[in-house]
Amino acid sequence: MNIQMVDVKSQYLKIKEEIDHGIQEVLDTTAFINGPKVKEFQLALESYLGIKHVIPCANGTDALQIAMMAAGLKPGDEVIVPAFTYVATAEVIALLGLIPVMIDVDADTFNINIQAIKLAITPKTKAIVPVHLYGQSADMESIMNIAREHKLWVIEDNAQAIGSDFIFSDGRKAKSGTIGHIGCTSFYPSKNLGAYGDGGAIFANDDEMATLLYKIANHGQSVRYYHDVVGCNSRLDSIQAAILSVKLKHLDEYCTERIKVADYYDHTFSNVNQLETPFRAPYSTHVFHQYTLKVKNGMRDKLKQYLDDQKIPSMIYYPVPLYKQEAFKSSSNGLEFLSVTEQLCKEVISLPIHTEMDEVQLKYISDKVKRFFE
Ligand SMILES: *Cc1c(COP(=O)(O)O)cnc(C)c1O
């Protein structure tokens, strides 16, 4: 059986006509950069997210960098990030000469730990960057309360959770990525809303902030050839925008497909003692960018090897805490040992999950995993 972590090809074939038509329209107009397709996608995403401004850019890493530049963070400022995340989040902090203060995550949600944020705040702290890992929002209500009290920026890394809803304690809902001062996302092909190349976007409700974000992403100019601030060159190209406009219409249905896969896995693994299925926080819907299990009793690497032997793909997101990465030895805050992060790096394994999985594949994978523990 040919099983993949993600199946972008089968998904494409189902919407081929719409996608090909969108691409052809860009080719016909040759408006490759800043064409009408980019504006169209921007407006559609604003409306989907319920946010005032979406600023398309070249990729998710740029989105984070531009957000931090727009927040006016200066070298030496401290930025709080989870130590258990994809490298991009901390990378741009270090790149701008800011200090990534890496803190521990929750053992159940895998997201930034609220108590640890409080303990990490110093007079130099300027921002918190929660990452909505694997498709579920961090506890944004608590994070915004802390940020308000300490006058900190909140920049959401929503690269893995686009489409998920955060539910406030009063029952109000908001899309993940729209709650902090600035939200960032990635349209990397394997993301829940994936382009056919690189892409990213930045979200903001504040008009002035949106203007600044747009300016920074476009060489610091608001009027062509007049540069107000030092910016960068970060654009979403029109072909990617055309593709994303088509795929955005399917995003909710794609999320539902992923949740169905997760439900199936949850159900099959519920009686496997050595496996802990993903925790679903009451304050967020989970759109399962990844389906990530915790494997107990030091069996994770053996399970991984077994799945490799069976030709079932699996991934370890992430094997090494950020503070142990060679790249961050000098820029991070001389970090020691974060117990939950260390434990997760040893216990997590992600199974195939995507919009095109059928019952036969699901049963095959689940049966093999179960058999390993029998
Ligand atoms: C994918 C990802 C990014 C970076 O996005 P790119 O588009 O690849 O630059 C940043 N943060 C997280 C958590 C991601 O998963």
Side-chain angles (χ1 to χ4, degrees), residues 59-61 64 85-86 88-89 131 157 159-160 186 188 191 199:
N59 57 69
T61 309
L64 288 160
T85 179
Y86 182 58
T89 325
V131 181
D157 182 344
Q160 300 190 3
S186 161
Y188 185 79
K191 297 282 156 82

Side-chain angles (χ1 to χ4, degrees), residues 58-64 85-89 91 131-134 157-161 184-191 197-200 289 318:
N59 57 69
T61 309
D62 274 8
L64 288 160
T85 179
Y86 182 58
V87 66
T89 325
E91 186 177 41
V131 181
H132 307 318
L133 206 68
Y134 305 150
D157 182 344
N158 195 39
Q160 300 190 3
C184 300
T185 204
S186 161
F187 304 124
Y188 185 79
S190 64
K191 297 282 156 82
D198 274 312
H289 174 59
Y318 299 91

Side-chain angles (χ1 to χ4, degrees), residues 50-249:
I51 194 151
K52 268 176 92 178
H53 305 283
V54 164
I55 297 97
C57 67
N59 57 69
T61 309
D62 274 8
L64 288 160
Q65 181 181 328
I66 293 161
M68 284 178 213
M69 289 167 76
L73 304 183
K74 298 279 178 310
D77 287 350
E78 293 179 0
V79 180
I80 296 174
V81 275
F84 187 67
T85 179
Y86 182 58
V87 66
T89 325
E91 186 177 41
V92 298
I93 297 172
L95 198 65
L96 293 173
L98 314 171
I99 300 170
V101 176
M102 299 165 185
I103 66 166
D104 217 350
V105 294
D106 274 344
D108 49 6
T109 63
F110 310 113
N111 281 328
I112 197 163
N113 180 286
I114 300 303
Q115 209 50 41
I117 296 178
K118 292 182 186 165
L119 293 172
I121 293 174
T122 75
K124 287 165 115 185
T125 308
K126 291 287 150 44
I128 308 169
V129 186
V131 181
H132 307 318
L133 206 68
Y134 305 150
Q136 177 169 251
S137 180
D139 179 0
M140 286 304 293
E141 188 163 7
S142 302
I143 293 169
M144 293 314 287
N145 286 337
I146 297 172
R148 213 168 294 122
E149 189 182 329
H150 295 271
K151 299 199 166 37
L152 304 175
W153 289 99
V154 176
I155 298 169
E156 291 177 73
D157 182 344
N158 195 39
Q160 300 190 3
I162 196 159
S164 75
D165 286 313
F166 185 82
I167 304 134
F168 289 89
S169 45
D170 63 4
R172 189 168 60 89
K173 282 186 185 174
K175 286 283 174 204
S176 64
T178 68
I179 300 156
H181 304 100
I182 310 175
C184 300
T185 204
S186 161
F187 304 124
Y188 185 79
S190 64
K191 297 282 156 82
N192 286 24
L193 178 59
Y196 294 169
D198 274 312
I202 316 162
F203 322 141
N205 270 311
D206 184 87
D207 298 341
E208 270 177 48
M209 175 50 80
T211 306
L212 182 57
L213 288 163
Y214 182 81
K215 232 189 243 189
I216 293 174
N218 294 276
H219 293 299
Q221 66 193 350
S222 42
V223 178
R224 205 167 193 187
Y225 304 126
Y226 290 83
H227 307 271
D228 311 332
V229 293
V230 174
C232 51
N233 173 23
S234 189
R235 295 179 292 233
L236 179 72
D237 75 71
S238 305
I239 289 182
Q240 298 309 329
I243 292 161
L244 288 165
S245 285
V246 172
K247 291 187 71 179
L248 179 59
K249 288 186 231 149

Side-chain angles (χ1 to χ4, degrees), residues 281-298:
Y283 49 74
S284 175
T285 60
H286 201 321
V287 294
F288 288 98
H289 174 59
Q290 298 298 341
Y291 182 84
T292 305
L293 291 161
K294 283 197 273 182
V295 188
K296 298 295 170 188
N297 307 329

